[in-house]
Amino acid sequence: MRRGDALAGLGFAGVPTTQDGGADTMRPGALRGAARGRNLDGLVHTLFLRLSPVIAAVVLTTQVVIAWVNYGDQIRIEGERARMMADMTARALAHPGWTETYGPQLQALGLDPAFRFAVLRDAAGAVVARLGEEPRGRSFERIQVSAAIEPGPDARPAGSLTLVLSAEGLRANAEKQFVMVLGASLALILAFALSLRLAVGRHVLAPLRRLLAAMGQVERKDWVTVDLGGSRRPSREIADISAAFNHMVEGLKSGDEARHLLAELERTHARLAEANGLVMESLQYARRIQQAVLPGPEALRGQALEVAVLWEPLHVVGGDYFWMEEIDGLAIVVVADCTGHGVPGAFLTLIVATALDRILHDQGLRRPEAILAALDTLVRARLRQEAGDGTGASDGSDDGLDCGICIIDRANGALHFAGAGLALTVLAGGETTRIKGRRHGLGYRRTGREDSLAATTIPLADGQTVFLMTDGVSDQMGGASRRLLGHRGVAEILKRHRDLPLDGQVAALEAALAAHRGSEPRRDDMTLVAFRTGGKAGSR
């Protein structure tokens, strides 16, 4: 931690520091220098000038749009009414000899208050009658519609009626509404200005004045703080500034305490660094111990198998374990993925290693399904997952492992596999085959739905490559779409590099996994044991 970090944590951020221990900070007027000569009331004026035009424009625009829409609706309604009047009058005139009896219908139109002009024409377009004065002037101040007088004997219109109504009342109403909107907007702006001044004065200016007054007292080394309560509570930002000021005052009052605190922080940091070094040293030693439990590179030398191994814990130590051993002319390959990773997973691998040694050498089991069943029993016993009453209820941990076991019988040309949560991948002739084991792992609390353990036997063939891996290899998140690679993706990578030596295949797989992840971190321990029949012995 730097000295500036500690000062920032104590509220001294932004306070100048000098070689003389802060004498410049305490010179008269230093704390109020930024505010000197400024009129705080100018804040209200600035806010009013910035906000009132925006509010006025929004209010006026909204009201004008509303008035324009209302005016348009009224024009449309009035036009529909004029159309209805013209149609009704035209239907009333639609009878033989209408040119002699049009008077009552035409006079009825003149009774409408908005009526201005009407003209009747016969089928030839000659004027039959007029009522009112033909309007002149601006067209938007009137509504003009026409209606045909329905057919005579020859199925052609017998004439037409043209009707003109005045829209001056609608325009006058719209002008009146606009004046009312303008007055309401001015009243709203005045109310906003008054409320702005009151609110800013109560919640901004008054707290700022208290803050400036406190600064003046602090300049005289009178260690006062700003009261954040009262009827004139400050805004959140000013409250934060005032709280920081109060914290600064407390820090100035206890400078020696701050220096002691800084020294204590430095000592604590040193102790933490020492403790972290001890923990990492212990973890590195634990890694060497865990690696010592794993088999050596010559474990299957006598079986004429080409072998390659990828073992990479997520942390320094991990929960993945593998074992290879030649017993009674058989090659035994075991891969286990214990619950968790890191130190807890590493402890579980030691339990599995001890149990597996007992099963192979004391009990002498050689069938993979029998080895898995015995391993399940021993792990449950070590983790105390079986109740003493014989009911099978769990009273211990809910931990366990996924495990796959291969028994290679070169004499009979057969490979026996059994899995609990792990699958076997076989690459032969450019095609990959995935042999699944039992879905449930070993250990864990019993659910009563566990399948029985069974073995699968496949014939051995020269050039056949077998992969036994944990799900940390396939569960790689990455790519442009941030998707899991999956077993299918791993199989595609292995097929692309099937012509490489086995060490090269594993190295190419590791590089492809890193490229797929990109910037994404790994999510689990990775373990893969690969062996190829008919090849030379080796290990990675």
Side-chain angles (χ1 to χ4, degrees):
M1 179 179 290
R2 298 189 301 271
R3 181 171 180 266
D5 296 333
L7 294 177
L10 293 172
F12 289 87
V15 179
T17 57
T18 59
Q19 297 295 332
D20 60 358
D24 289 346
T25 303
M26 299 309 300
R27 73 180 188 276
L31 293 176
R32 294 181 301 163
R36 181 165 300 187
R38 302 287 182 91
N39 184 3
L40 292 178
D41 291 334
L43 177 62
V44 179
H45 182 68
T46 301
L47 290 175
F48 177 77
L49 291 180
R50 296 287 179 87
L51 297 180
S52 57
V54 177
I55 294 178
V58 171
V59 172
L60 283 175
T61 302
T62 303
Q63 295 297 332
V64 167
V65 170
I66 293 174
W68 178 258
V69 171
N70 289 337
Y71 178 69
D73 289 342
Q74 292 175 1
I75 289 292
R76 179 180 55 80
I77 293 172
E78 192 68 12
E80 292 176 356
R81 189 174 72 87
R83 170 66 62 184
M84 183 178 64
M85 290 173 58
D87 289 343
M88 292 177 63
T89 304
R91 284 196 296 270
L93 292 172
H95 58 81
W98 65 271
T99 56
E100 303 297 334
T101 59
Y102 58 80
Q105 293 84 355
L106 205 59
Q107 292 297 327
L109 291 176
L111 297 178
D112 191 282
F115 176 80
R116 288 295 179 269
F117 176 71
V119 59
L120 284 173
R121 291 183 173 84
D122 57 16
V127 175
V128 176
R130 295 175 182 268
L131 182 63
E133 296 183 1
E134 187 173 357
R136 295 179 177 83
R138 296 170 291 187
S139 60
F140 62 85
E141 293 183 347
R142 61 180 182 269
I143 300 173
Q144 180 173 327
V145 296
S146 297
I149 299 174
E150 281 308 317
D154 54 356
R156 291 185 298 177
S160 63
L161 169 65
T162 300
L163 174 64
V164 178
L165 298 182
S166 174
E168 295 178 357
L170 299 179
R171 180 180 58 79
N173 186 36
E175 292 175 352
K176 184 188 299 183
Q177 187 177 4
F178 178 77
V179 172
M180 293 174 63
V181 167
L182 183 60
S185 300
L186 292 176
L188 179 62
I189 293 173
L190 292 176
F192 166 74
L194 179 61
S195 60
L196 177 67
R197 184 171 187 84
L198 291 176
V200 173
R202 175 178 292 274
H203 301 292
V204 178
L205 299 184
L208 282 177
R209 291 191 182 98
R210 292 203 303 267
L211 181 59
L212 290 176
M215 287 181 180
Q217 291 181 272
V218 170
E219 289 173 359
R220 297 188 294 272
K221 296 187 179 182
D222 183 7
W223 310 113
V224 299
T225 57
V226 179
D227 183 15
L228 300 179
S231 59
R232 297 188 174 185
R233 297 182 62 85
S235 63
R236 185 183 64 184
E237 292 79 5
I238 298 178
D240 292 342
I241 296 173
S242 300
F245 173 78
N246 293 341
H247 200 47
M248 183 195 72
V249 171
E250 294 297 331
L252 290 174
K253 289 171 60 178
S254 55
D256 290 339
E257 181 181 351
R259 287 193 294 272
H260 291 317
L261 178 60
L262 180 59
E264 181 64 26
L265 287 175
E266 292 175 349
R267 288 192 294 270
T268 302
H269 183 268
R271 289 196 295 269
L272 288 175
E274 181 180 1
N276 183 67
L278 292 175
V279 169
M280 292 305 299
E281 183 179 351
S282 298
L283 287 176
Q284 291 294 342
Y285 192 72
R287 180 182 177 91
R288 290 198 296 270
I289 293 175
Q290 189 175 33
Q291 287 176 325
V293 176
L294 300 176
E298 307 300 327
L300 300 179
R301 173 181 291 276
Q303 291 291 320
L305 293 175
E306 183 183 359
V307 180
V309 176
L310 169 63
W311 181 76
E312 188 61 43
L314 180 62
H315 302 302
V316 181
V317 292
D320 280 3
Y321 173 75
F322 71 93
W323 183 252
M324 297 180 295
E325 188 174 0
E326 181 182 354
I327 305 177
D328 300 334
L330 302 176
I332 300 176
V333 178
V334 181
V335 171
D337 182 0
C338 300
T339 302
H341 41 72
V343 174
F347 273 105
L348 278 177
T349 63
L350 296 179
I351 294 176
V352 173
T354 304
L356 190 62
D357 181 73
R358 180 177 174 184
I359 292 168
L360 295 178
H361 298 95
D362 295 345
Q363 299 181 13
L365 299 180
R366 297 295 181 263
R367 291 186 294 111
E369 71 276 15
I371 295 173
L372 286 178
L375 185 59
D376 182 49
T377 301
L378 288 178
V379 168
R380 289 181 183 278
R382 294 290 177 86
L383 297 179
R384 298 177 182 174
Q385 292 175 330
E386 300 291 344
D389 57 3
T391 62
S394 172
D395 60 355
S397 68
D398 189 21
D399 299 314
L401 67 148
D402 295 335
C403 185
I405 299 179
C406 288
I407 306 294
I408 301 102
D409 186 355
R410 296 298 297 270
N412 296 312
L415 184 150
H416 309 283
F417 166 74
L422 288 187
L424 186 71
T425 301
V426 180
L427 177 60
E431 296 296 329
T432 58
T433 304
R434 188 164 179 254
I435 303 172
K436 297 182 179 179
R438 189 182 75 173
R439 180 178 179 182
H440 299 89
L442 307 179
Y444 303 108
R445 293 175 182 170
R446 294 190 186 274
T447 64
R449 297 189 299 270
E450 291 85 358
D451 300 328
S452 60
L453 293 165
T456 301
T457 301
I458 60 176
L460 291 177
D462 287 342
Q464 183 184 58
T465 307
V466 181
F467 301 91
L468 193 57
M469 69 189 81
T470 62
D471 57 6
V473 177
S474 57
D475 292 351
Q476 302 276 341
M477 181 72 75
S481 58
R482 294 191 73 254
R483 59 179 179 83
L484 284 177
L485 181 62
H487 291 282
R488 183 176 299 178
V490 174
E492 291 297 326
I493 295 173
L494 294 175
K495 283 198 298 184
R496 287 200 303 267
H497 303 92
R498 61 183 179 272
D499 296 329
L500 295 176
L502 203 53
D503 283 349
Q505 287 190 37
V506 174
L509 174 63
E510 190 173 7
L513 294 178
H516 177 76
R517 289 195 307 270
S519 60
E520 291 284 337
R522 277 200 301 122
R523 306 167 61 180
D524 202 355
D525 306 317
M526 291 195 308
T527 298
L528 180 143
V529 175
F531 55 90
R532 178 183 291 166
T533 58
K536 60 181 180 179
S539 183
R540 175 176 175 268

Coordinates of all heavy atoms in Angstrom, one line a residue, residues 21-22 41 61 111 279 283 317 379-380 412 422 449 501:
G21 N 5.3 19.3 6.1 CA 4.3 18.7 6.9 C 2.9 19.2 6.9 O 2.1 19.0 7.7
G22 N 2.6 20.0 5.9 CA 1.2 20.5 5.7 C 1.0 21.9 6.1 O -0.1 22.4 6.3
D41 N -25.4 32.3 -4.7 CA -26.8 32.5 -5.2 C -26.7 32.4 -6.8 O -27.7 32.2 -7.4 CB -27.3 33.9 -4.8 CG -27.6 33.9 -3.4 OD1 -27.9 32.8 -2.8 OD2 -27.6 35.0 -2.8
T61 N -44.2 23.0 -26.7 CA -44.3 22.0 -27.8 C -45.4 21.0 -27.6 O -46.2 20.7 -28.5 CB -42.9 21.3 -28.0 OG1 -41.9 22.2 -28.3 CG2 -43.0 20.3 -29.2
L111 N -80.4 27.6 -41.8 CA -80.7 27.7 -40.3 C -79.4 27.3 -39.5 O -79.4 27.6 -38.3 CB -81.8 26.8 -39.9 CG -83.2 27.2 -40.6 CD1 -84.3 26.2 -40.1 CD2 -83.6 28.6 -40.2
V279 N 1.9 -20.2 2.9 CA 0.9 -21.0 2.3 C 1.3 -21.5 1.0 O 1.1 -22.7 0.6 CB -0.4 -20.2 2.2 CG1 -1.5 -20.9 1.4 CG2 -1.0 -19.9 3.6
L283 N 1.7 -25.3 -0.3 CA 1.0 -25.9 -1.4 C 2.0 -26.5 -2.4 O 1.7 -27.6 -3.0 CB 0.2 -24.8 -2.1 CG -1.1 -24.4 -1.3 CD1 -1.8 -23.2 -2.0 CD2 -2.0 -25.6 -1.2
V317 N -2.6 -27.9 -6.3 CA -2.9 -29.3 -6.2 C -4.3 -29.4 -6.7 O -5.1 -28.5 -6.9 CB -2.8 -29.7 -4.7 CG1 -1.3 -29.7 -4.3 CG2 -3.6 -28.9 -3.8
V379 N -14.6 -46.0 -0.1 CA -14.7 -44.6 0.0 C -15.9 -44.2 0.9 O -15.8 -43.3 1.7 CB -14.9 -44.0 -1.4 CG1 -15.3 -42.5 -1.3 CG2 -13.6 -44.1 -2.2
R380 N -17.0 -44.9 0.8 CA -18.1 -44.7 1.7 C -17.7 -44.9 3.1 O -18.1 -44.1 4.0 CB -19.3 -45.5 1.3 CG -19.9 -45.1 0.0 CD -21.1 -46.0 -0.3 NE -21.7 -45.7 -1.6 CZ -22.6 -44.7 -1.8 NH1 -22.9 -43.9 -0.8 NH2 -23.0 -44.4 -3.0
N412 N -4.9 -62.2 -24.2 CA -6.2 -62.6 -24.8 C -6.7 -61.6 -25.8 O -7.8 -61.7 -26.4 CB -7.2 -62.9 -23.8 CG -6.9 -64.0 -22.9 OD1 -6.5 -65.1 -23.4 ND2 -7.0 -63.8 -21.6
L422 N -17.5 -41.7 -15.7 CA -16.5 -41.4 -16.8 C -16.7 -42.3 -17.9 O -17.2 -43.5 -17.8 CB -15.1 -41.6 -16.2 CG -14.6 -40.5 -15.3 CD1 -13.1 -40.7 -15.0 CD2 -14.8 -39.1 -15.8
R449 N -31.4 -45.0 -6.9 CA -31.6 -45.1 -8.3 C -30.3 -45.4 -9.1 O -30.2 -45.2 -10.3 CB -32.2 -43.7 -8.9 CG -33.6 -43.4 -8.4 CD -34.2 -42.2 -9.1 NE -33.4 -41.0 -8.9 CZ -33.5 -40.1 -7.9 NH1 -34.4 -40.4 -7.0 NH2 -32.8 -39.1 -7.8
P501 N 2.6 -38.9 -33.1 CA 2.9 -39.8 -32.0 C 1.9 -39.4 -30.8 O 1.4 -38.3 -30.8 CB 4.3 -39.5 -31.7 CG 4.9 -38.9 -32.9 CD 3.8 -38.2 -33.6

